[in-house]
Amino acid sequence: MTIRTEIVRTPGRLKISVRMVPESGTICAEIGGGGAATVGAVMSSSSPAADSVFDSPPPAFDAATLAQIAERCFGLSGVATALDSERDQNARLATADGTFVLKVAHRAESPAALELQSAALAHLANVDPSLPVPRVVAPLTPGAHGLAEHDGHLVRAVSHLPGTPYADVSHTPALRRSLGETMGRLSHALQGFGHAAAHQPDFLWNLDNAAAVRPWVADIVDPTDRAVVESAFTRWEQRVAPLLPTLRAAVVHHDANDRNVLVEDDR
C-alpha cells in the first residue's frame, strides 16, 4: 500500500489529505482544522460486494450498443457520446426530445446503492422541482430493483445538465455565493429523505467512522507529516466523536467538489 499525504496550512485552518492506495481503489481522508473530518472515496464504494469493482474494468460498450440500450430500455432514440466516469460507463444521448445521460453500472455495483441515488433524485424532484439536478427517466420495463438491465448490468437514464465544470471557470464572489446557495437548497430539500442503503455504520467513508482509517497513519513515511495527521485524529476523537450521538443525522450530498459541479451563466 502507498500512502500519500498532503498538508495545507493556512491561517486558522489545517487541511490534511491522506491517500491510501492499495492494489485496487483509492481511499482518501481529509481532516479539517476545526476537528471535523471528511472521509470520501476517490472511487467510492457502497457495499461490501462493491469491492470487486476495483478489480475489474468498468463496462465498455461501443456507442452503437449504448444507443440500442437507451432505445430498448427507455424508449430514447439518439446518438450516444462517451462521458468520463470512474467505475461505471456514462454516455450523453442526444435525441429529438432533448439530451440525456445513460448510466451503465458495473456488474459488481450494489443495486441498493443505485436505488438510493434514484430515490434521492425522485425526492428532490418532488420537494424542490427547480433545483438544478438530474431527473430520473423511468425505464420501460423495470427489473427487480426498479431499474433497467442489460447483459448483467443495471442501467439508468437521467436528464442531462448543460454547463462547464466548476474547476474550469473563474471563481467569482457571485459564483461562490451561488454554489453555497445551491448546496444549501440541496441539503434543505433532502431533509426528511431516508433510505435503507444510506445507513452503513461500518462503511469506511461514513463521516461518523472517520477514525477507521487511522491505522494507516503508521504507513506515512515522513515523521512530521505523520505526527500532524496523528494529532488531527486525536483531536477528532476528543472533540468530535463524543458529540456525534447528540447530533441530528441526515442524507447529504457531501461531494460537491469542483469536478462534480457544473456552472452555467455564472451560476
Side-chain angles (χ1 to χ4, degrees):
M1 176 177 293
T2 302
I3 305 296
R4 300 172 183 169
T5 307
E6 177 186 5
I7 298 178
V8 179
R9 297 180 178 89
T10 57
R13 179 174 175 79
L14 171 68
K15 178 180 177 181
I16 306 168
S17 295
V18 183
R19 292 180 182 272
M20 289 153 281
V21 187
E23 293 182 357
S24 57
T26 303
I27 301 167
C28 174
E30 294 184 356
I31 303 177
T38 297
V39 180
V42 175
M43 301 177 72
S44 61
S45 172
S46 300
S47 74
D51 289 344
S52 60
V53 301
F54 302 132
D55 300 325
S56 57
F61 296 106
D62 58 34
T65 301
L66 292 172
Q68 292 171 5
I69 295 172
E71 185 166 13
R72 180 179 63 82
C73 295
F74 302 97
L76 299 173
S77 178
V79 178
T81 305
L83 295 172
D84 291 338
S85 61
E86 290 180 342
R87 69 197 207 197
D88 53 6
Q89 184 178 16
N90 297 330
R92 182 173 55 199
L93 189 71
T95 77
D97 298 319
T99 308
F100 302 87
V101 175
L102 184 71
K103 304 176 70 65
V104 182
H106 195 290
R107 276 200 177 99
E109 187 60 85
S110 163
L114 302 181
E115 292 172 3
L116 166 62
Q117 295 172 28
S118 294
L121 289 175
H123 173 86
L124 293 173
N126 290 328
V127 174
D128 191 348
S130 64
L131 195 63
V133 297
R135 301 303 180 205
V136 176
V137 178
L140 298 178
T141 307
H145 306 285
L147 306 169
E149 296 185 39
H150 175 80
D151 192 27
H153 298 272
L154 294 176
V155 183
R156 296 170 294 160
V158 297
S159 60
H160 175 261
L161 296 180
T164 303
Y166 187 82
D168 299 333
V169 301
S170 298
H171 298 171
T172 65
L175 181 58
R176 293 190 182 99
R177 180 181 181 86
S178 178
L179 174 61
E181 290 176 344
T182 300
M183 295 311 299
R185 284 179 58 193
L186 179 60
S187 295
H188 185 267
L190 283 171
Q191 289 184 0
F193 171 74
H195 192 280
H199 303 284
Q200 302 181 57
D202 298 325
F203 183 42
L204 190 59
W205 293 278
N206 185 334
L207 293 179
D208 295 353
N209 198 29
V213 299
R214 188 170 188 170
W216 284 295
V217 172
D219 295 318
I220 299 176
V221 176
D222 185 278
T224 301
D225 288 351
R226 186 169 61 250
V228 171
V229 175
E230 186 65 47
S231 67
F233 273 115
T234 298
R235 185 168 62 249
W236 184 90
E237 291 181 339
Q238 293 173 347
R239 299 182 183 181
V240 179
L243 298 177
L244 290 177
T246 69
L247 301 177
R248 293 178 298 171
V251 176
V252 295
H253 185 286
H254 201 72
D255 197 17
N257 68 62
D258 53 5
R259 289 294 176 185
N260 280 348
V261 176
L262 295 175
V263 177
E264 186 177 33
D265 299 327
D266 202 33
R267 298 187 63 186

Short mmCIF file of all heavy atoms in Angstrom, two decimals, residues 181-234:
data_model
loop_
_atom_site.label_atom_id
_atom_site.label_comp_id
_atom_site.label_asym_id
_atom_site.label_seq_id
_atom_site.Cartn_x
_atom_site.Cartn_y
_atom_site.Cartn_z
N GLU A 181 -25.52 28.76 -2.08
CA GLU A 181 -26.98 28.76 -2.06
C GLU A 181 -27.55 27.46 -2.62
O GLU A 181 -28.52 26.90 -2.08
CB GLU A 181 -27.50 29.94 -2.88
CG GLU A 181 -27.26 31.31 -2.23
CD GLU A 181 -27.70 32.45 -3.12
OE1 GLU A 181 -27.91 32.20 -4.33
OE2 GLU A 181 -27.84 33.58 -2.61
N THR A 182 -26.95 26.99 -3.71
CA THR A 182 -27.45 25.76 -4.32
C THR A 182 -27.26 24.56 -3.40
O THR A 182 -28.17 23.73 -3.24
CB THR A 182 -26.73 25.50 -5.67
OG1 THR A 182 -26.97 26.60 -6.55
CG2 THR A 182 -27.25 24.22 -6.32
N MET A 183 -26.07 24.46 -2.77
CA MET A 183 -25.84 23.34 -1.87
C MET A 183 -26.73 23.45 -0.63
O MET A 183 -27.18 22.44 -0.09
CB MET A 183 -24.37 23.28 -1.47
CG MET A 183 -23.42 22.98 -2.63
SD MET A 183 -23.94 21.56 -3.63
CE MET A 183 -23.92 20.24 -2.41
N GLY A 184 -27.01 24.69 -0.20
CA GLY A 184 -27.93 24.86 0.92
C GLY A 184 -29.33 24.40 0.56
O GLY A 184 -30.01 23.73 1.36
N ARG A 185 -29.77 24.75 -0.64
CA ARG A 185 -31.09 24.29 -1.10
C ARG A 185 -31.14 22.77 -1.19
O ARG A 185 -32.13 22.14 -0.82
CB ARG A 185 -31.41 24.88 -2.47
CG ARG A 185 -31.83 26.33 -2.48
CD ARG A 185 -32.10 26.79 -3.90
NE ARG A 185 -33.14 26.00 -4.55
CZ ARG A 185 -33.40 26.04 -5.85
NH1 ARG A 185 -32.66 26.81 -6.66
NH2 ARG A 185 -34.37 25.30 -6.36
N LEU A 186 -30.04 22.18 -1.67
CA LEU A 186 -29.99 20.73 -1.80
C LEU A 186 -30.09 20.06 -0.43
O LEU A 186 -30.86 19.10 -0.24
CB LEU A 186 -28.70 20.33 -2.51
CG LEU A 186 -28.46 18.84 -2.73
CD1 LEU A 186 -29.58 18.24 -3.57
CD2 LEU A 186 -27.12 18.60 -3.40
N SER A 187 -29.31 20.55 0.52
CA SER A 187 -29.36 19.96 1.87
C SER A 187 -30.73 20.14 2.49
O SER A 187 -31.26 19.22 3.15
CB SER A 187 -28.29 20.61 2.76
OG SER A 187 -26.99 20.32 2.28
N HIS A 188 -31.33 21.32 2.29
CA HIS A 188 -32.65 21.57 2.84
C HIS A 188 -33.69 20.64 2.21
O HIS A 188 -34.57 20.10 2.90
CB HIS A 188 -33.04 23.03 2.60
CG HIS A 188 -34.34 23.42 3.23
ND1 HIS A 188 -35.54 23.37 2.55
CD2 HIS A 188 -34.63 23.85 4.48
CE1 HIS A 188 -36.51 23.74 3.35
NE2 HIS A 188 -36.00 24.05 4.54
N ALA A 189 -33.58 20.44 0.89
CA ALA A 189 -34.54 19.58 0.20
C ALA A 189 -34.42 18.12 0.62
O ALA A 189 -35.39 17.36 0.55
CB ALA A 189 -34.37 19.72 -1.31
N LEU A 190 -33.22 17.72 1.04
CA LEU A 190 -33.01 16.32 1.44
C LEU A 190 -33.49 16.05 2.87
O LEU A 190 -33.51 14.89 3.30
CB LEU A 190 -31.53 15.95 1.32
CG LEU A 190 -31.02 15.68 -0.10
CD1 LEU A 190 -29.51 15.53 -0.11
CD2 LEU A 190 -31.67 14.42 -0.68
N GLN A 191 -33.87 17.09 3.59
CA GLN A 191 -34.39 16.86 4.94
C GLN A 191 -35.65 16.00 4.85
O GLN A 191 -36.53 16.24 4.04
CB GLN A 191 -34.74 18.20 5.61
CG GLN A 191 -33.52 19.02 5.99
CD GLN A 191 -33.90 20.29 6.74
OE1 GLN A 191 -35.08 20.56 6.97
NE2 GLN A 191 -32.91 21.07 7.11
N GLY A 192 -35.69 15.01 5.66
CA GLY A 192 -36.83 14.10 5.65
C GLY A 192 -36.67 12.92 4.72
O GLY A 192 -37.48 11.99 4.75
N PHE A 193 -35.62 12.94 3.88
CA PHE A 193 -35.41 11.80 2.99
C PHE A 193 -34.67 10.69 3.73
O PHE A 193 -33.73 10.95 4.49
CB PHE A 193 -34.58 12.22 1.77
CG PHE A 193 -34.13 11.07 0.92
CD1 PHE A 193 -35.02 10.41 0.10
CD2 PHE A 193 -32.81 10.62 0.97
CE1 PHE A 193 -34.62 9.33 -0.68
CE2 PHE A 193 -32.40 9.55 0.19
CZ PHE A 193 -33.30 8.91 -0.64
N GLY A 194 -35.07 9.48 3.50
CA GLY A 194 -34.39 8.34 4.10
C GLY A 194 -34.40 7.15 3.17
O GLY A 194 -35.26 7.03 2.30
N HIS A 195 -33.42 6.30 3.33
CA HIS A 195 -33.33 5.09 2.53
C HIS A 195 -32.45 4.10 3.28
O HIS A 195 -31.44 4.48 3.90
CB HIS A 195 -32.72 5.39 1.16
CG HIS A 195 -32.85 4.27 0.17
ND1 HIS A 195 -32.01 3.18 0.17
CD2 HIS A 195 -33.73 4.08 -0.85
CE1 HIS A 195 -32.35 2.37 -0.81
NE2 HIS A 195 -33.40 2.88 -1.44
N ALA A 196 -32.82 2.83 3.25
CA ALA A 196 -32.08 1.82 4.00
C ALA A 196 -30.60 1.78 3.61
O ALA A 196 -29.73 1.56 4.46
CB ALA A 196 -32.71 0.45 3.79
N ALA A 197 -30.30 2.00 2.34
CA ALA A 197 -28.91 1.93 1.88
C ALA A 197 -28.06 3.09 2.38
O ALA A 197 -26.83 3.05 2.25
CB ALA A 197 -28.87 1.88 0.35
N ALA A 198 -28.70 4.12 2.93
CA ALA A 198 -27.93 5.26 3.43
C ALA A 198 -27.36 5.00 4.82
O ALA A 198 -26.50 5.75 5.28
CB ALA A 198 -28.82 6.50 3.47
N HIS A 199 -27.79 3.96 5.48
CA HIS A 199 -27.36 3.68 6.85
C HIS A 199 -26.34 2.53 6.83
O HIS A 199 -26.69 1.36 6.77
CB HIS A 199 -28.56 3.33 7.72
CG HIS A 199 -29.61 4.39 7.74
ND1 HIS A 199 -29.47 5.57 8.45
CD2 HIS A 199 -30.80 4.48 7.09
CE1 HIS A 199 -30.53 6.33 8.26
NE2 HIS A 199 -31.35 5.69 7.44
N GLN A 200 -25.07 2.90 6.88
CA GLN A 200 -23.98 1.92 6.86
C GLN A 200 -22.96 2.31 7.91
O GLN A 200 -21.95 2.94 7.62
CB GLN A 200 -23.34 1.88 5.47
CG GLN A 200 -24.31 1.55 4.35
CD GLN A 200 -23.61 1.51 3.01
OE1 GLN A 200 -22.66 0.77 2.79
NE2 GLN A 200 -24.08 2.32 2.07
N PRO A 201 -23.19 1.94 9.17
CA PRO A 201 -22.31 2.36 10.26
C PRO A 201 -20.85 1.96 10.07
O PRO A 201 -19.94 2.69 10.50
CB PRO A 201 -22.92 1.67 11.48
CG PRO A 201 -24.34 1.43 11.11
CD PRO A 201 -24.33 1.15 9.64
N ASP A 202 -20.61 0.82 9.45
CA ASP A 202 -19.24 0.34 9.29
C ASP A 202 -18.63 0.71 7.94
O ASP A 202 -17.52 0.27 7.62
CB ASP A 202 -19.20 -1.19 9.46
CG ASP A 202 -19.66 -1.61 10.85
OD1 ASP A 202 -19.37 -0.88 11.81
OD2 ASP A 202 -20.31 -2.67 10.96
N PHE A 203 -19.32 1.50 7.17
CA PHE A 203 -18.84 1.90 5.86
C PHE A 203 -17.61 2.80 6.05
O PHE A 203 -17.63 3.76 6.81
CB PHE A 203 -19.95 2.66 5.15
CG PHE A 203 -19.64 3.10 3.75
CD1 PHE A 203 -18.97 2.27 2.86
CD2 PHE A 203 -20.04 4.35 3.31
CE1 PHE A 203 -18.71 2.68 1.56
CE2 PHE A 203 -19.78 4.78 2.01
CZ PHE A 203 -19.11 3.93 1.14
N LEU A 204 -16.52 2.49 5.35
CA LEU A 204 -15.26 3.19 5.58
C LEU A 204 -15.35 4.68 5.32
O LEU A 204 -14.63 5.47 5.92
CB LEU A 204 -14.16 2.56 4.70
CG LEU A 204 -12.73 3.01 5.00
CD1 LEU A 204 -12.34 2.69 6.43
CD2 LEU A 204 -11.75 2.37 4.03
N TRP A 205 -16.25 5.10 4.41
CA TRP A 205 -16.35 6.51 4.09
C TRP A 205 -17.49 7.21 4.84
O TRP A 205 -17.85 8.33 4.53
CB TRP A 205 -16.53 6.68 2.58
CG TRP A 205 -15.30 6.26 1.83
CD1 TRP A 205 -14.18 7.01 1.62
CD2 TRP A 205 -15.06 5.01 1.19
NE1 TRP A 205 -13.26 6.29 0.90
CE2 TRP A 205 -13.77 5.05 0.61
CE3 TRP A 205 -15.81 3.83 1.04
CZ2 TRP A 205 -13.22 3.99 -0.09
CZ3 TRP A 205 -15.27 2.77 0.35
CH2 TRP A 205 -13.98 2.86 -0.21
N ASN A 206 -18.03 6.54 5.84
CA ASN A 206 -19.03 7.14 6.70
C ASN A 206 -18.36 8.21 7.55
O ASN A 206 -17.37 7.96 8.22
CB ASN A 206 -19.66 6.06 7.59
CG ASN A 206 -20.81 6.58 8.42
OD1 ASN A 206 -20.89 7.76 8.74
ND2 ASN A 206 -21.69 5.67 8.80
N LEU A 207 -18.88 9.44 7.54
CA LEU A 207 -18.26 10.53 8.29
C LEU A 207 -18.17 10.22 9.78
O LEU A 207 -17.22 10.64 10.45
CB LEU A 207 -19.06 11.82 8.08
CG LEU A 207 -19.05 12.41 6.68
CD1 LEU A 207 -19.89 13.66 6.63
CD2 LEU A 207 -17.63 12.71 6.25
N ASP A 208 -19.14 9.51 10.31
CA ASP A 208 -19.09 9.15 11.72
C ASP A 208 -17.99 8.14 12.02
O ASP A 208 -17.66 7.89 13.17
CB ASP A 208 -20.43 8.56 12.17
CG ASP A 208 -21.55 9.58 12.11
OD1 ASP A 208 -21.25 10.77 11.84
OD2 ASP A 208 -22.71 9.20 12.32
N ASN A 209 -17.45 7.54 10.98
CA ASN A 209 -16.46 6.48 11.13
C ASN A 209 -15.09 6.94 10.65
O ASN A 209 -14.28 6.15 10.19
CB ASN A 209 -16.92 5.25 10.33
CG ASN A 209 -16.20 3.99 10.77
OD1 ASN A 209 -15.81 3.85 11.92
ND2 ASN A 209 -16.03 3.05 9.84
N ALA A 210 -14.81 8.23 10.76
CA ALA A 210 -13.56 8.79 10.22
C ALA A 210 -12.33 8.13 10.81
O ALA A 210 -11.33 7.94 10.12
CB ALA A 210 -13.52 10.30 10.47
N ALA A 211 -12.39 7.75 12.07
CA ALA A 211 -11.21 7.18 12.72
C ALA A 211 -10.87 5.79 12.19
O ALA A 211 -9.80 5.25 12.53
CB ALA A 211 -11.43 7.12 14.23
N ALA A 212 -11.73 5.22 11.35
CA ALA A 212 -11.46 3.87 10.84
C ALA A 212 -10.21 3.83 9.98
O ALA A 212 -9.61 2.76 9.81
CB ALA A 212 -12.66 3.36 10.05
N VAL A 213 -9.81 4.98 9.40
CA VAL A 213 -8.61 4.98 8.56
C VAL A 213 -7.35 5.29 9.37
O VAL A 213 -6.25 5.32 8.82
CB VAL A 213 -8.75 6.00 7.40
CG1 VAL A 213 -9.92 5.64 6.51
CG2 VAL A 213 -8.89 7.42 7.92
N ARG A 214 -7.50 5.49 10.66
CA ARG A 214 -6.34 5.85 11.49
C ARG A 214 -5.23 4.80 11.48
O ARG A 214 -4.05 5.15 11.55
CB ARG A 214 -6.79 6.13 12.92
CG ARG A 214 -5.68 6.71 13.80
CD ARG A 214 -6.20 7.19 15.14
NE ARG A 214 -5.17 7.90 15.88
CZ ARG A 214 -5.38 8.60 16.99
NH1 ARG A 214 -6.63 8.68 17.47
NH2 ARG A 214 -4.41 9.21 17.61
N PRO A 215 -5.55 3.51 11.41
CA PRO A 215 -4.45 2.52 11.40
C PRO A 215 -3.43 2.74 10.30
O PRO A 215 -2.27 2.32 10.43
CB PRO A 215 -5.19 1.19 11.21
CG PRO A 215 -6.54 1.43 11.82
CD PRO A 215 -6.87 2.85 11.47
N TRP A 216 -3.81 3.39 9.20
CA TRP A 216 -2.87 3.60 8.11
C TRP A 216 -1.92 4.78 8.34
O TRP A 216 -1.02 5.01 7.54
CB TRP A 216 -3.64 3.79 6.80
CG TRP A 216 -4.19 2.51 6.26
CD1 TRP A 216 -3.50 1.45 5.81
CD2 TRP A 216 -5.58 2.17 6.12
NE1 TRP A 216 -4.36 0.45 5.38
CE2 TRP A 216 -5.64 0.87 5.56
CE3 TRP A 216 -6.77 2.84 6.39
CZ2 TRP A 216 -6.85 0.23 5.29
CZ3 TRP A 216 -7.96 2.20 6.13
CH2 TRP A 216 -7.99 0.91 5.59
N VAL A 217 -2.15 5.53 9.40
CA VAL A 217 -1.26 6.65 9.68
C VAL A 217 0.18 6.18 9.85
O VAL A 217 1.13 6.86 9.45
CB VAL A 217 -1.73 7.41 10.95
CG1 VAL A 217 -0.71 8.46 11.36
CG2 VAL A 217 -3.09 8.06 10.70
N ALA A 218 0.34 4.99 10.40
CA ALA A 218 1.69 4.46 10.62
C ALA A 218 2.45 4.26 9.32
O ALA A 218 3.70 4.18 9.33
CB ALA A 218 1.60 3.14 11.38
N ASP A 219 1.76 4.20 8.20
CA ASP A 219 2.42 3.98 6.92
C ASP A 219 2.89 5.28 6.26
O ASP A 219 3.49 5.24 5.20
CB ASP A 219 1.47 3.25 5.97
CG ASP A 219 1.13 1.85 6.45
OD1 ASP A 219 2.06 1.17 6.92
OD2 ASP A 219 -0.04 1.44 6.36
N ILE A 220 2.60 6.42 6.88
CA ILE A 220 3.09 7.70 6.35
C ILE A 220 4.58 7.80 6.63
O ILE A 220 5.01 7.75 7.79
CB ILE A 220 2.33 8.88 6.98
CG1 ILE A 220 0.84 8.79 6.66
CG2 ILE A 220 2.89 10.21 6.47
CD1 ILE A 220 0.00 9.85 7.33
N VAL A 221 5.37 7.94 5.60
CA VAL A 221 6.83 7.87 5.75
C VAL A 221 7.40 9.07 6.49
O VAL A 221 8.20 8.92 7.42
CB VAL A 221 7.50 7.73 4.35
CG1 VAL A 221 9.01 7.76 4.49
CG2 VAL A 221 7.04 6.46 3.67
N ASP A 222 7.00 10.26 6.10
CA ASP A 222 7.58 11.46 6.70
C ASP A 222 7.10 11.62 8.14
O ASP A 222 5.90 11.69 8.41
CB ASP A 222 7.17 12.69 5.90
CG ASP A 222 7.83 13.95 6.40
OD1 ASP A 222 7.33 14.54 7.39
OD2 ASP A 222 8.86 14.37 5.81
N PRO A 223 8.01 11.64 9.12
CA PRO A 223 7.60 11.69 10.53
C PRO A 223 6.85 12.96 10.91
O PRO A 223 5.95 12.93 11.75
CB PRO A 223 8.93 11.58 11.28
CG PRO A 223 9.97 12.00 10.31
CD PRO A 223 9.46 11.58 8.97
N THR A 224 7.19 14.09 10.28
CA THR A 224 6.49 15.33 10.59
C THR A 224 5.06 15.27 10.10
O THR A 224 4.12 15.62 10.83
CB THR A 224 7.21 16.53 9.93
OG1 THR A 224 8.56 16.59 10.41
CG2 THR A 224 6.50 17.83 10.26
N ASP A 225 4.87 14.80 8.87
CA ASP A 225 3.53 14.64 8.34
C ASP A 225 2.74 13.64 9.17
O ASP A 225 1.55 13.84 9.47
CB ASP A 225 3.58 14.18 6.88
CG ASP A 225 4.04 15.28 5.94
OD1 ASP A 225 4.16 16.43 6.39
OD2 ASP A 225 4.30 14.98 4.75
N ARG A 226 3.39 12.55 9.53
CA ARG A 226 2.71 11.52 10.31
C ARG A 226 2.23 12.07 11.65
O ARG A 226 1.12 11.78 12.10
CB ARG A 226 3.64 10.33 10.52
CG ARG A 226 2.96 9.14 11.22
CD ARG A 226 3.81 7.89 11.16
NE ARG A 226 5.09 8.06 11.84
CZ ARG A 226 6.27 8.11 11.23
NH1 ARG A 226 6.33 8.00 9.91
NH2 ARG A 226 7.39 8.27 11.91
N ALA A 227 3.05 12.90 12.29
CA ALA A 227 2.68 13.47 13.58
C ALA A 227 1.50 14.43 13.45
O ALA A 227 0.60 14.47 14.30
CB ALA A 227 3.88 14.20 14.19
N VAL A 228 1.48 15.20 12.36
CA VAL A 228 0.38 16.13 12.14
C VAL A 228 -0.93 15.37 11.95
O VAL A 228 -1.97 15.72 12.52
CB VAL A 228 0.67 17.03 10.92
CG1 VAL A 228 -0.56 17.85 10.56
CG2 VAL A 228 1.85 17.95 11.21
N VAL A 229 -0.88 14.33 11.13
CA VAL A 229 -2.08 13.53 10.88
C VAL A 229 -2.53 12.85 12.16
O VAL A 229 -3.73 12.81 12.49
CB VAL A 229 -1.82 12.50 9.77
CG1 VAL A 229 -3.03 11.59 9.59
CG2 VAL A 229 -1.48 13.19 8.46
N GLU A 230 -1.60 12.31 12.92
CA GLU A 230 -1.94 11.62 14.17
C GLU A 230 -2.61 12.58 15.15
O GLU A 230 -3.61 12.24 15.80
CB GLU A 230 -0.68 11.03 14.80
CG GLU A 230 -0.93 10.17 16.02
CD GLU A 230 -1.71 8.90 15.71
OE1 GLU A 230 -1.37 8.23 14.73
OE2 GLU A 230 -2.69 8.62 16.44
N SER A 231 -2.08 13.81 15.23
CA SER A 231 -2.67 14.79 16.16
C SER A 231 -4.07 15.19 15.72
O SER A 231 -4.94 15.44 16.56
CB SER A 231 -1.76 16.02 16.27
OG SER A 231 -1.72 16.72 15.04
N ALA A 232 -4.28 15.24 14.40
CA ALA A 232 -5.61 15.59 13.90
C ALA A 232 -6.63 14.51 14.26
O ALA A 232 -7.77 14.80 14.64
CB ALA A 232 -5.56 15.81 12.40
N PHE A 233 -6.23 13.26 14.12
CA PHE A 233 -7.13 12.17 14.50
C PHE A 233 -7.41 12.21 16.00
O PHE A 233 -8.55 11.98 16.44
CB PHE A 233 -6.53 10.81 14.12
CG PHE A 233 -6.86 10.39 12.72
CD1 PHE A 233 -5.87 10.27 11.77
CD2 PHE A 233 -8.16 10.11 12.35
CE1 PHE A 233 -6.16 9.89 10.47
CE2 PHE A 233 -8.47 9.71 11.06
CZ PHE A 233 -7.46 9.60 10.12
N THR A 234 -6.39 12.50 16.81
CA THR A 234 -6.59 12.58 18.25
C THR A 234 -7.57 13.69 18.60
O THR A 234 -8.47 13.51 19.43
CB THR A 234 -5.24 12.85 18.95
OG1 THR A 234 -4.36 11.75 18.70
CG2 THR A 234 -5.44 13.01 20.45
#
